Amino acid sequence: MSDAEPSLFVAKRQLRRPMQATRLACKNTELCIAVSVSYMVMANLSIRPAELSDLGKIVDVHTQARTAYYRAGGLPEANIDTADGAAHRQRGWARSIESGDKRVLYALHAGEVAGVVAMGPPLSSNTEADTATVGELYQIHVLPTHWGQGIGSRLHATLVQYLDEAALLIGQVEAWDRNHRAQAFYLRHGWRPTGHRRQGPDHSSYIRMHLNAVTA
């Protein structure tokens, strides 16, 4: 067993047995600190259905997150956003919140909207998906200052719950091919690439991934 393994054990068990986990010896100080921070965040985190009054904060989370991952992926600054980008995102989120067949939830931590997720039937542009068996994860974003604290996983769990409640067999999502952090996140949660790609900005592409909802 490596020095990191006791810490990983803590990380995997923290939500189910937080008090016991905090007593375990941890040789990797850096990871122990991360686990402690994650536990404190989870203890003060709530997932709530989004309303139109939440639009401003939701758009801010989306804008900060997309700016961070596009910048990390080397997208030229001039291509990251447009003058009307925020307004466009606000209209999109408003349509999703008001839609009867889509679900939008946000993560609230210490009075701050720290993350947001949207899901529902496959988008109309995806003519290959069977709406009777596929549910789509449209977007999932966490404030960059809260990355690595487990918020994304809590939001992702609501997607798994949605698929279960709707008796859907497959989850579908697209990830930017230069957003390695997002791809790693999806792989950890059981998603796998389908081989389908859609053209993205700056000679990049978006990778389609599927999740087997039965085993998720």
Side-chain angles (χ1 to χ4, degrees):
M1 182 177 286
S2 70
D3 288 346
E5 284 176 335
S7 301
L8 293 174
F9 174 82
V10 173
K12 292 177 181 178
R13 299 293 187 270
Q14 60 167 316
L15 294 180
R16 284 179 289 179
R17 296 184 293 175
M19 294 309 294
Q20 180 181 353
T22 55
R23 298 190 191 102
L24 293 178
C26 182
K27 297 180 182 179
N28 187 325
T29 304
E30 206 170 289
L31 185 53
C32 263
I33 293 172
V35 168
S36 297
V37 170
S38 180
Y39 168 60
M40 288 187 288
V41 169
M42 291 300 100
N44 294 283
L45 187 76
S46 60
I47 306 298
R48 304 184 180 188
E51 300 179 356
L52 289 178
S53 58
D54 304 310
L55 266 178
K57 295 178 180 179
I58 287 173
V59 171
D60 182 55
V61 171
H62 185 183
T63 299
Q64 289 194 48
R66 73 185 299 279
T67 298
Y69 67 70
Y70 277 132
R71 186 172 289 155
L75 193 66
E77 289 291 326
N79 296 348
I80 290 178
D81 211 347
T82 60
D84 63 345
H88 175 75
R89 288 188 287 278
Q90 181 160 326
R91 290 191 295 271
W93 282 107
R95 286 193 297 271
S96 293
I97 291 172
E98 293 182 307
S99 171
D101 60 354
K102 295 178 180 178
R103 187 177 298 184
V104 181
L105 305 166
Y106 68 90
L108 187 70
H109 174 252
E112 174 186 42
V113 176
V116 62
V117 62
M119 64 203 77
L123 296 174
S124 58
S125 59
N126 179 14
T127 56
E128 302 171 11
D130 180 1
T131 57
T133 59
V134 179
E136 187 151 351
L137 174 58
Y138 304 134
Q139 302 192 63
I140 181 168
H141 302 291
V142 175
L143 284 175
T145 52
H146 286 10
W147 284 355
Q149 296 177 4
I151 295 175
S153 292
R154 280 286 300 275
L155 290 170
H156 183 271
T158 67
L159 178 276
V160 176
Q161 181 180 359
Y162 164 75
L163 296 174
D164 181 61
E165 291 175 352
L168 298 170
L169 303 177
I170 298 171
Q172 180 167 284
V173 72
E174 285 190 341
W176 190 40
D177 64 356
R178 298 183 195 172
N179 190 347
H180 304 301
R181 186 184 188 94
Q183 291 177 60
F185 172 86
Y186 291 128
L187 289 171
R188 285 198 307 273
H189 287 82
W191 298 78
R192 295 295 179 264
T194 66
H196 180 277
R197 287 176 175 261
R198 178 173 64 86
Q199 185 176 352
D202 194 38
H203 308 292
S204 66
S205 61
Y206 292 99
I207 302 169
R208 183 177 297 169
M209 305 179 79
H210 277 178
L211 174 71
N212 183 337
V214 177
T215 58

